[in-house]
Amino acid sequence: MSRTAIIPGSFDPVTLGHLDIITRGAKVFDRIIVSVLNNQHKNPLFTIEERIELLKESTASLENVEVDSFNGLLIDYVKEKNANAIIKGLRAVSDFEYELQMASINRKLDENVETFFMMTNNQFSYLSSSIVKEVAKYGAPVNDLVSPPVERALRKKFSERT
Ligand code: PNS
């Protein structure tokens, strides 16, 4: 039986911390679908199409990883894709409470879908998309925080804005 896991998120943009989780998840599951939440209410830096493209470029070498987007409830999307698992990365204790709440509601909505938590590699424990955007906005290097396509996209985005 083939095992598919969904890695959901905003990915605005994908960081090396996300890529660490995706790469390690892809070694455990047969198929990984990284899916970007298409949430109109947030004010993202990158459009949904840009975030998908950057994820595709950043995961191109991982054969069992696909990139997609979703609307609405994550659990409905997981079932639509015939997946049986959700993978989330945990950076620090501060992530725990929110993720426990999410995993609990998702389990209540469908007890057949399991949430798996992976501890982010220590070297990325401080990293978030917001931190990366803040650093890039003021022109500091982000080459050891994101993949080369994301670095280029950030540079372009902020040079267009000034
Ligand atoms: O990268 P993020 O912003 O931390 O990702 C959060 C995400 C997309 C995983 C979470 O907001 C989510 O699953 N949203 C979909 C709506 C949903 O199913 N909510 C939980 C039940 S109320």
Side-chain angles (χ1 to χ4, degrees):
M1 186 181 156
S2 158
R3 299 274 178 194
T4 301
I6 306 292
I7 304 188
S10 303
F11 302 107
D12 184 38
V14 60
T15 68
L16 291 188
H18 295 128
L19 291 174
D20 169 53
I21 297 294
I22 296 167
T23 306
R24 287 159 53 204
K27 288 182 189 157
V28 179
F29 284 85
D30 300 307
R31 181 178 173 226
I32 295 278
I33 306 174
V34 183
S35 201
V36 186
L37 175 64
N38 196 351
N39 184 347
Q40 313 290 355
H41 303 300
K42 279 194 179 177
N43 188 18
L45 177 65
F46 291 100
T47 65
I48 186 88
E49 293 79 15
E50 287 170 329
R51 284 181 274 155
I52 289 172
E53 188 52 38
L54 290 172
L55 269 164
K56 283 186 177 168
E57 289 176 40
S58 305
T59 60
S61 62
L62 301 170
E63 282 178 10
N64 58 340
V65 173
E66 297 162 34
V67 182
D68 192 21
S69 64
F70 74 105
N71 285 296
L73 286 182
L74 174 61
I75 206 78
D76 292 336
Y77 174 77
V78 172
K79 285 186 270 187
E80 183 193 311
K81 289 288 165 185
N82 288 319
N84 13 47
I86 298 165
I87 299 180
K88 302 298 287 289
L90 284 181
R91 288 166 300 194
V93 177
S94 50
D95 284 340
F96 181 78
E97 210 166 324
Y98 173 74
E99 293 299 346
L100 174 65
Q101 192 181 17
M102 284 292 179
S104 304
I105 185 67
N106 285 331
R107 187 166 168 76
K108 182 156 177 52
L109 293 171
D110 188 337
E111 63 180 17
N112 296 313
V113 176
E114 288 293 343
T115 301
F116 290 86
F117 291 103
M118 292 175 64
M119 304 312 298
T120 305
N121 193 318
N122 284 346
Q123 77 186 105
F124 304 127
S125 61
Y126 62 91
L127 198 51
S128 68
S129 298
S130 312
I131 289 278
V132 163
K133 284 182 278 190
E134 188 81 4
V135 172
K137 183 176 160 184
Y138 295 106
V142 289
N143 57 299
D144 51 359
L145 310 179
V146 295
S147 65
V150 174
E151 186 193 2
R152 283 193 293 276
L154 281 165
R155 214 179 304 124
K156 186 161 180 278
K157 192 66 90 172
F158 286 117
S159 67
E160 279 168 1
R161 290 187 153 201
T162 49

